[in-house]
Amino acid sequence: MPRVPSTSPATGLPTPPSYLHTTACNFVDNAGRTVLLRGVNLSGATKAPVGHLSHLLDDFWESAEAGGESFVGRPLNLDDGSADIHLARLRGWGFNFLRFPFTWEALEHEGPGVYDEEYMDYTVRVLQRCREFGFRVLMDPHQDTWSRFSGGSGAPFWTLAACGINPSNITATQSAIIHCEYPLSHAPDPASLPAMVWSTNYGRLLSQTLFTLFFAGRTFAPRCIIDGLNIQDYLQQHYIEACGRLADRIKAHDGGRLYEECVVGWDTLNEPFEGLCGWEDLNANPTKQGSTLKKGTYPTPAQSFRMGMGQAQTVEHWTFGALGPSRDGMVTIDPKGLKVWADVVPREDGTNERWGWKRDVGKWPLGTCVWALHGVWDVETGFVLRPDYFRFDPETGVEVEFITDFWKPHFLAYKKRIAQAHEEAVWFVQPPVFAFPPEVGEEELRGRCAYSCHYYDGLTLLTRHWNWFNADALGLLRGKYSSTLPAVKIGEPAIRRSLQDQLGMLKSDAKILGDYPTLVGEIGAPFDMDGKKSYGWTDGGKYRGDYSQQEKALDASLNACDGPNGLSWTVWTFVPDDHSHEWGDGWNMEDLSLWSPADVWERERRERARQGGTKNRKRVKGASGSLALLGWHKNPFDFLSDGARAVKAFCRPYAERTVGVPVRMDFDVGKGVFRLVVSVGAEDRPEEEEEEDGEEEEEGLATEIYVPLIHYAHARLLDSPSRKRWAAARSQAESSSSSSSSSSEDGESLGSSPVVPGATETPALSSVETLAAKGRAWEEGRAKGGKGKRGAVIVPGVEDDGEAVVDVEVKVSEGTWRVEGQRLLWWYDKGKDGRKEVVIEIRRRGGPVKMKEVNARREGWCGGLCEEGCRVM
């Protein structure tokens, strides 16, 4: 690892202790240690305002027409104390990094140029809280299929009106599939929405049109003029300025310290879509495998144009099974004359009375398809006049290339505006899914860049089943195979190797940008597998609480980031309040949250007591009340496992900071064995920092390995008094009134003061500073040299009583080591000449923690409430 500079490559200013470098294909701290960033997306719930889950039709359109609602409260409730518990949980899981989704709609929902200042201030407060817990943060301007009002998330409602869309007829014309109107707007049944069918919106009229206008309106829609600007410039300028206003607000707080100590950088637009740019023939869909899902109705662009103008069309219908997509018939869609193009009559001067913009009605008359307006097709005959219109620049005749011609100029404009507030930002470059990033010169990146890709095991995600076979999807997409058969992988070992190879292929894409690191910004697995078997919805509830298949799937994906890849990642997702077994993450029936209030043991106990009647209503002393409903326990093992799903897969050991460069990192989730190989040489010797008293610590800087107590817990945590109380639940019975009460005889409640995990009998604290003080002090100490002290943080807010929380057997090829809390510090000689490899292996003394330990508390009460034969393991 080359020496890190003492000045910023972007500004030339001295780098502060918390500075994170992007060099030599790695994230590197200011002491010169290789850093892995691992965490979660906080949160999928930010796609909609509080109370507006995607299946709810009531007030969906009305509130949008009125200017929308505030997103304050997304992703965390800062007023009732629950935010502190959730952040402590994430920190206790070993996460050091948060991807922070926010939407354009949240910033500018009231109308063009009208910004939600309250939401921006709230976001700053959330970031402050994240900083208090020692997190670094990536800001993510999030979208899916353009907007909530086109079946996804992202852009505000008024952007549809600006593009001439009539939202009342979106469902009738199948211009998009909207969850709350599925399958029919007049007879919705949102629970029947098929898995991942929302993503087929990328193959429908709204997404194809709106993204084309956003990225390439000047080229393909020159007649679309609004407020004197082409629609491309109008939309992009509003979007970029909205993000810029948020960046300004973050800078204005506390002298810019949030940028110095918390916010690392900015993602580019989440999963950008090409729209129709480059489409070869509007009368046909691509025959090659692409990133757009074939499932349900599958119109060609030409058919979508006609349906958008109210014309009936017979289109292909596809299904997706274990062997992938296959066409199973044809379906006729008849909008019965309803058009998706608005007939709103503006004032004579073209001014829109509701939103205030002025449209050039001479060039852009409303009520007709914008592509017919540009001579692409004829409405009367339905005939496509220019089937390759979007393949070539209409003016020059030169074939277009989306990323170079359209995405890159947008990125540079976005970067320029954000940099006005955040000069030291790391730019996380995210091209369309599975596409190669563009070449961007160093005069633009200036040493501050990372490649931000996404990866999901598509077969598992779509079939909601962990299969015994899979396929190399990325290899197929990029032409690695001449046919499908060689891409098929049989058996779990082959599947795991294939996933690791695919992640390695994505990692190599970063080299196009330069010697920059890679972050897998989204990765994860669904939890509603096999008909929601784990929720007790099948087999008479026999498998309730059994997440073994989800653990295999999620471990396979995260294992793919280990091995020789050594990738940073943020799992999708953590939904702290809205998750339910019925509606998943609260968005389009996705169900990927690592934690669910529906899986909290106390909540399950109450629900089973309610279902079982008064005679089965039992209560466990010391664990009821609002705190218990958030999964809080004084025992850190219980706290980190309660409500978590497949926790052993994502709460995994990793080398957080390495003196040298990790060569290979492996973890066997079943055996609990972690092995790390490090390449180290004299040039990797960290810049030593002095202690406050002026004396340098003998040991110097260490390699820091997160050692999760979920896998390596000391036996005393698995046999705690709190667990014994729960085990005694079978013999305790109280009246139905006390059972249904949300109060606690121990005085645990959620009031206006933050309530946090603590070591005292009453864990309510007066301020968040009290909770985060230990975490902040520990992080500051590590930033200055990684010299942790005895009593280091186990979980923020949980006191260290001086006893070990993990019990490990460690083998090292050389050097010394010490465990502090959930971290293992390892020192070894760096050598003087050349490089060498050093190895460490960690396992739990007495063998791995079994799932029965994770579920022990659930077993404690479950035995008294469940039918015979219930299986919770």
Side-chain angles (χ1 to χ4, degrees):
M1 180 68 65
R3 292 282 183 179
V4 294
S6 59
T7 58
S8 163
T11 65
L13 298 173
T15 56
S18 57
Y19 196 84
L20 192 66
H21 301 261
T22 54
T23 184
C25 303
N26 287 289
F27 296 101
V28 182
D29 70 12
N30 218 31
R33 292 177 296 177
T34 303
V35 175
L36 276 181
L37 302 174
R38 294 200 162 176
V40 72
N41 281 263
L42 182 70
S43 156
T46 57
K47 295 182 180 185
V50 175
H52 281 265
L53 306 186
S54 67
H55 66 280
L56 300 175
L57 182 57
D58 184 46
D59 199 37
F60 180 72
W61 297 112
E62 294 81 358
S63 62
E65 290 276 6
E69 295 187 28
S70 175
F71 280 63
V72 171
R74 297 299 197 199
L76 297 169
N77 188 329
L78 297 180
D79 298 324
D80 67 355
S82 61
D84 306 332
I85 290 179
H86 292 308
L87 289 172
R89 175 180 287 114
L90 297 178
R91 204 70 180 95
W93 284 341
F95 294 160
N96 60 5
F97 195 61
L98 300 175
R99 186 169 180 253
F100 193 95
F102 66 92
T103 63
W104 180 10
E105 181 191 0
L107 299 172
E108 201 178 2
H109 54 83
E110 291 187 47
V114 183
Y115 303 106
D116 192 329
E117 307 288 344
E118 182 185 4
Y119 170 74
M120 294 184 193
D121 288 336
Y122 160 80
T123 299
V124 169
R125 291 171 59 210
V126 176
L127 293 174
Q128 283 181 276
R129 198 66 59 88
C130 293
R131 180 181 64 181
E132 294 291 339
F133 281 84
F135 287 108
R136 307 306 294 271
V137 172
L138 166 63
M139 303 303 293
D140 162 38
H142 205 87
Q143 76 78 35
D144 305 273
T145 72
W146 185 259
S147 170
R148 278 201 300 143
F149 309 102
S150 54
S153 68
F157 173 79
W158 56 262
T159 61
L160 274 68
C163 294
I165 301 298
N166 176 7
S168 300
N169 296 332
I170 291 174
T171 297
T173 57
Q174 282 209 13
S175 297
I177 290 177
I178 299 174
H179 188 192
C180 60
E181 290 192 342
Y182 184 83
L184 301 169
S185 58
H186 62 275
D189 179 19
S192 67
L193 185 79
M196 293 300 296
V197 79
W198 67 265
S199 68
T200 67
N201 283 332
Y202 285 117
R204 302 180 189 275
L205 180 62
L206 275 195
S207 287
Q208 290 177 335
T209 295
L210 294 171
F211 279 100
T212 304
L213 295 178
F214 180 82
F215 281 113
R218 286 200 306 269
T219 301
F220 296 117
R223 297 184 60 171
C224 294
I225 306 298
I226 187 169
D227 278 353
L229 299 171
N230 182 270
I231 188 64
Q232 173 185 336
D233 300 310
Y234 182 81
L235 293 173
Q236 284 200 30
Q237 287 180 18
H238 276 285
Y239 164 74
I240 290 172
E241 182 58 24
C243 294
R245 294 293 182 103
L246 177 60
D248 293 344
R249 189 61 57 90
I250 296 171
K251 179 182 180 181
H253 175 76
D254 200 12
R257 285 185 59 203
L258 278 174
Y259 283 141
E260 182 178 312
E261 301 172 356
C262 180
V263 178
V264 171
W266 295 73
D267 226 336
T268 53
L269 180 66
N270 180 73
E271 297 183 356
F273 177 52
E274 303 93 330
L276 294 168
C277 299
W279 205 280
E280 294 185 0
D281 182 358
L282 294 170
N283 292 305
N285 283 317
T287 55
K288 293 182 179 179
Q289 178 67 37
S291 59
T292 299
L293 175 64
K294 298 177 182 177
K295 186 173 183 177
T297 55
Y298 188 47
T300 66
Q303 290 172 324
S304 290
F305 293 168
R306 298 178 193 123
M307 290 189 295
M309 287 300 292
Q311 302 172 13
Q313 296 287 291
T314 299
V315 306
E316 293 180 355
H317 190 277
W318 287 68
T319 186
F320 195 100
L323 299 179
S326 61
R327 193 177 71 178
D328 63 351
M330 305 292 287
V331 174
T332 298
I333 301 168
D334 186 2
K336 301 185 184 303
L338 297 175
K339 298 186 300 182
V340 79
W341 300 102
D343 286 318
V344 176
V345 179
R347 297 174 187 167
E348 289 185 9
D349 64 354
T351 301
N352 182 285
E353 294 188 0
R354 171 64 186 87
W355 303 108
W357 56 64
K358 183 182 291 186
R359 194 185 306 273
D360 188 335
V361 292
K363 293 184 177 180
W364 190 2
L366 293 176
T368 192
C369 174
V370 295
W371 307 125
L373 189 65
H374 286 85
V376 179
W377 71 291
D378 179 69
V379 174
E380 293 298 322
T381 64
F383 185 74
V384 177
L385 304 172
R386 304 179 67 178
D388 61 354
Y389 178 76
F390 297 98
R391 184 178 179 185
F392 303 97
D393 186 311
E395 292 293 324
T396 67
V398 175
E399 188 167 1
V400 301
E401 203 287 314
F402 174 76
I403 293 179
T404 301
D405 296 336
F406 305 118
W407 182 89
K408 182 178 175 180
H410 163 71
F411 161 61
L412 294 178
Y414 166 79
K415 173 184 172 295
K416 181 179 179 180
R417 176 62 182 90
I418 300 297
Q420 293 176 18
H422 193 183
E423 291 181 291
E424 297 284 6
V426 175
W427 306 106
F428 287 76
V429 175
Q430 182 186 161
V433 176
F434 289 165
F436 294 104
E439 294 183 3
V440 183
E442 270 305 298
E443 70 278 6
E444 292 290 347
L445 299 178
R446 298 194 295 172
R448 306 295 288 154
C449 179
Y451 175 48
S452 179
C453 60
H454 292 180
Y455 185 85
Y456 291 95
D457 169 7
L459 185 63
T460 301
L461 189 64
L462 286 159
T463 63
R464 296 297 199 264
H465 178 71
W466 175 241
N467 296 275
W468 55 270
F469 62 92
N470 209 306
D472 180 356
L474 183 59
L476 280 170
L477 188 66
R478 293 191 173 179
K480 181 179 177 181
Y481 306 97
S482 58
S483 64
T484 303
L485 188 59
V488 176
K489 310 299 176 183
I490 305 296
E492 192 166 316
I495 293 171
R496 291 167 68 89
R497 285 193 300 270
S498 175
L499 294 180
Q500 199 164 86
D501 289 345
Q502 292 177 66
L503 267 296
M505 190 183 304
L506 289 174
K507 179 182 179 180
S508 68
D509 290 351
K511 297 292 288 184
I512 297 173
L513 295 165
D515 290 333
Y516 290 118
T518 298
L519 170 80
V520 184
E522 289 186 22
I523 191 168
F527 288 94
D528 56 340
M529 289 184 180
D530 303 314
K532 302 192 178 185
K533 180 173 71 173
S534 301
Y535 302 158
W537 288 28
T538 67
D539 304 283
K542 179 180 179 181
Y543 295 97
R544 182 182 178 94
D546 178 1
Y547 287 106
S548 58
Q549 296 304 301
Q550 292 88 337
E551 180 183 300
K552 290 179 181 178
L554 186 55
D555 174 57
S557 288
L558 297 182
N559 172 76
C561 297
D562 288 341
N565 292 329
L567 290 166
S568 295
W569 45 252
T570 47
V571 174
W572 188 270
T573 176
F574 181 82
V575 179
D577 299 316
D578 291 325
H579 188 277
S580 68
H581 288 170
E582 183 176 9
W583 299 107
D585 301 335
W587 185 81
N588 280 323
M589 302 303 289
E590 282 200 346
D591 194 345
L592 289 91
S593 181
L594 300 180
W595 184 88
S596 173
D599 284 281
V600 169
W601 303 329
E602 172 68 7
R603 193 178 298 268
E604 289 189 52
R605 183 192 69 78
R606 292 187 183 189
E607 175 62 20
R608 286 179 177 269
R610 184 188 64 79
Q611 294 176 356
T614 303
K615 66 178 182 178
N616 280 334
R617 290 181 177 174
K618 302 181 181 182
R619 182 163 161 248
V620 181
K621 180 179 179 181
S624 59
S626 299
L627 280 172
L629 295 179
L630 290 171
W632 178 83
H633 305 273
K634 287 187 288 185
N635 180 322
F637 184 88
D638 294 347
F639 174 56
L640 296 180
S641 55
D642 194 0
R645 293 113 66 81
V647 65
K648 295 184 74 175
F650 67 80
C651 187
R652 53 200 298 123
Y654 70 100
E656 186 173 358
R657 296 172 188 254
T658 303
V659 176
V661 180
V663 173
R664 186 172 184 96
M665 185 171 67
D666 294 288
F667 177 58
D668 187 319
V669 71
K671 297 179 180 179
V673 178
F674 174 79
R675 188 173 190 271
L676 172 67
V677 181
V678 177
S679 172
V680 64
E683 65 271 25
D684 298 313
R685 191 178 302 277
E687 297 289 338
E688 298 289 348
E689 297 287 340
E690 293 187 354
E691 296 290 275
E692 291 182 4
D693 61 5
E695 296 180 4
E696 200 168 295
E697 186 170 323
E698 283 184 8
E699 295 165 317
L701 295 180
T703 286
E704 299 182 23
I705 301 171
Y706 169 65
V707 184
L709 62 86
I710 287 294
H711 288 281
Y712 302 103
H714 195 284
R716 69 186 179 88
L717 296 177
L718 306 180
D719 190 30
S720 66
S722 58
R723 283 182 171 269
K724 292 178 179 178
R725 285 201 305 268
W726 274 84
R730 300 178 187 181
S731 62
Q732 297 181 8
E734 295 185 355
S735 67
S736 60
S737 60
S738 64
S739 173
S740 61
S741 172
S742 62
S743 63
S744 168
E745 66 185 44
D746 289 339
E748 300 172 357
S749 64
L750 283 176
S752 58
S753 299
V755 196
V756 299
T760 57
E761 286 300 315
T762 305
L765 302 183
S766 60
S767 68
V768 68
E769 284 76 13
T770 307
L771 165 65
K774 293 183 179 63
R776 184 170 63 252
W778 173 244
E779 288 304 316
E780 289 175 353
R782 294 171 65 237
K784 294 177 180 177
K787 305 176 182 72
K789 303 297 181 187
R790 287 296 303 162
V793 172
I794 301 166
V795 179
V798 177
E799 293 285 353
D800 182 4
D801 57 9
E803 295 189 65
V805 294
V806 299
D807 192 6
V808 294
E809 295 178 353
V810 180
K811 295 181 180 179
V812 294
S813 61
E814 66 173 83
T816 60
W817 57 272
R818 183 173 74 233
V819 175
E820 296 181 355
Q822 289 193 93
R823 280 193 175 85
L824 184 146
L825 307 181
W826 178 28
W827 294 268
Y828 40 81
D829 180 59
K830 287 78 179 175
K832 295 181 179 180
D833 300 310
R835 301 190 67 81
K836 63 178 180 179
E837 290 188 352
V838 293
V839 183
I840 187 170
E841 185 175 288
I842 305 171
R843 63 182 70 227
R844 182 174 181 266
R845 195 184 308 276
V849 174
K850 302 296 184 182
M851 280 309 297
K852 67 179 181 180
E853 302 289 355
V854 178
N855 287 311
R857 179 163 297 197
R858 181 184 282 118
E859 291 175 339
W861 58 258
C862 195
L865 297 176
C866 298
E867 297 295 329
E868 183 177 355
C870 172
R871 172 176 169 173
V872 298
M873 290 178 59

